[in-house]
Amino acid sequence: MIDIGANLLDPVFDADRQEVLRRAGAAGIDAIVLTGTSIASSRAAVGFASRRRVGRRESAGESSHDPSPRLFATAGVHPHDAKAVEAGWDHEIAELADRAEVVAIGETGLDYHRDFSPRDVQQGVFRRQVELAVRLKMPLFVHDRDSQGATRTILSDYRDELAACVIHCFTGTAADLDGYIDDGYYIGITGWICDERRGRQLMDMVRRIPGDRLMIETDAPYLLPRNMVPRPRSRRNEPAFLTWVAQRVARCRDEDLFSVERQTRVNAMRFFGLP
């Protein structure tokens, strides 16, 4: 399986990040895309993925098989952080995007649920990152929370020019889903679908996602799957728990688990252009 979005550089992982990676490998996760949400977090994600890549190369002679996941990263500015960008921020994203570890621009988009950044600022920062993805011919990793169609409207101005786009951690309405599917975008499903309180609509809708545009993610450390048995004492999510998302997706789509794991992996490999 491939976890297309995890915030592994979050401080909650500082004490046991290597153990988290080992557990992910043992759970069948062979790649994780680390999510960049600001200039600083994007730099950190790229640096960590790079160090892991070098370490895997150097240890190749000692072991014929490294079970820990391969790491990649996105580079971008989340709408929550849009208000904090400084002059030249987009050039820094472009420079990071030139690194081999970076496989998409983002996490970017609009969040009108919390409005941590003014909406006009969110829109400007989002639009600039869409333009970067078009210019650099890179996939776009998009956040949309309660934007009432504004995210799709901005994307529509560039739809025919985008290399690829995923609506990460989809939590929208049926109309949102149908619109994004019509536009040809991929849909990322998280533990939201495992939440019997908030995710019931998504449980019903997930079968409408074309199989070749479905991907899964943890968004760790957030959105711990509520269908886990036994339930962890901590509410912290981690990539090893991705299988619980896959299980719920398979159940809701009336598909077997292996098929979902395989198809979402193929889709992620294609979307990000992973080796």
Side-chain angles (χ1 to χ4, degrees):
M1 290 182 291
I2 294 177
D3 186 348
I4 70 160
N7 303 279
L8 271 192
L9 276 296
D10 189 287
V12 300
F13 293 113
D14 284 351
D16 63 344
R17 194 168 284 112
Q18 299 303 326
E19 288 77 9
V20 167
L21 288 171
R22 280 193 285 272
R23 286 194 291 270
I29 310 300
D30 69 325
I32 302 170
V33 180
L34 308 180
T35 309
T37 58
S38 65
I39 301 298
S41 70
S42 295
R43 280 201 207 105
V46 173
F48 186 71
S50 177
R51 291 190 296 275
R52 290 283 301 181
R53 187 180 185 188
V54 171
R56 287 171 67 97
R57 255 199 327 260
E58 291 177 346
S59 64
E62 303 170 17
S63 171
S64 60
H65 176 64
D66 183 348
S68 64
R70 295 176 298 155
L71 299 184
F72 302 92
T74 69
V77 176
H78 190 286
H80 290 346
D81 295 281
K83 65 181 181 296
V85 297
E86 299 178 350
W89 68 271
D90 51 339
H91 298 295
E92 293 194 61
I93 294 296
E95 288 178 3
L96 285 170
D98 196 43
R99 296 283 297 271
E101 296 80 16
V102 176
V103 292
I105 299 297
E107 177 180 358
T108 182
L110 302 176
D111 192 309
Y112 292 177
H113 180 73
R114 297 189 183 277
D115 279 324
F116 287 161
S117 294
R119 293 184 179 184
D120 60 331
V121 174
Q122 291 187 47
Q123 292 170 12
V125 171
F126 177 35
R127 188 174 289 275
R128 180 61 187 133
Q129 289 177 91
V130 180
E131 292 169 351
L132 274 176
V134 169
R135 178 167 67 83
L136 300 174
K137 297 180 173 59
M138 294 186 70
L140 189 66
F141 193 83
V142 173
H143 172 105
D144 179 11
R145 186 87 187 272
D146 295 345
S147 75
Q148 294 102 47
T151 300
R152 187 183 176 210
T153 296
I154 290 176
L155 287 172
S156 68
D157 290 340
Y158 308 89
R159 182 180 62 191
D160 296 336
E161 302 171 88
L162 280 168
C165 175
V166 60
I167 309 304
H168 135 83
C169 187
F170 180 81
T171 60
T173 65
D176 292 331
L177 181 63
D178 291 342
Y180 284 135
I181 290 172
D182 288 345
D183 290 341
Y185 304 148
Y186 290 71
I187 306 295
I189 301 297
T190 62
W192 189 277
I193 199 172
C194 305
D195 190 331
E196 74 285 354
R197 306 161 304 171
R198 300 184 298 176
R200 187 155 298 282
Q201 183 182 28
L202 184 56
M203 293 178 199
D204 296 333
M205 294 191 303
V206 72
R207 66 176 62 248
R208 293 156 66 167
I209 302 171
D212 62 354
R213 279 188 267 153
L214 173 68
M215 294 192 283
I216 54 177
E217 52 184 320
T218 58
D219 202 25
Y222 314 111
L223 297 173
L224 179 74
R226 286 176 57 86
N227 58 331
M228 291 184 66
V229 180
R231 188 82 58 85
R233 291 182 181 177
S234 168
R235 295 182 61 185
R236 186 189 75 173
N237 197 8
E238 61 178 79
F241 302 156
L242 185 63
T243 185
W244 294 96
V245 177
Q247 287 181 25
R248 179 55 59 85
V249 169
R251 178 180 173 185
C252 293
R253 288 171 64 89
D254 292 324
E255 297 175 359
D256 67 89
L257 177 60
F258 175 77
S259 296
V260 169
E261 291 177 344
R262 181 183 182 280
Q263 182 66 65
T264 56
R265 183 181 187 279
V266 168
N267 295 344
M269 296 281 287
R270 179 176 63 246
F271 179 85
F272 292 110
L274 302 185

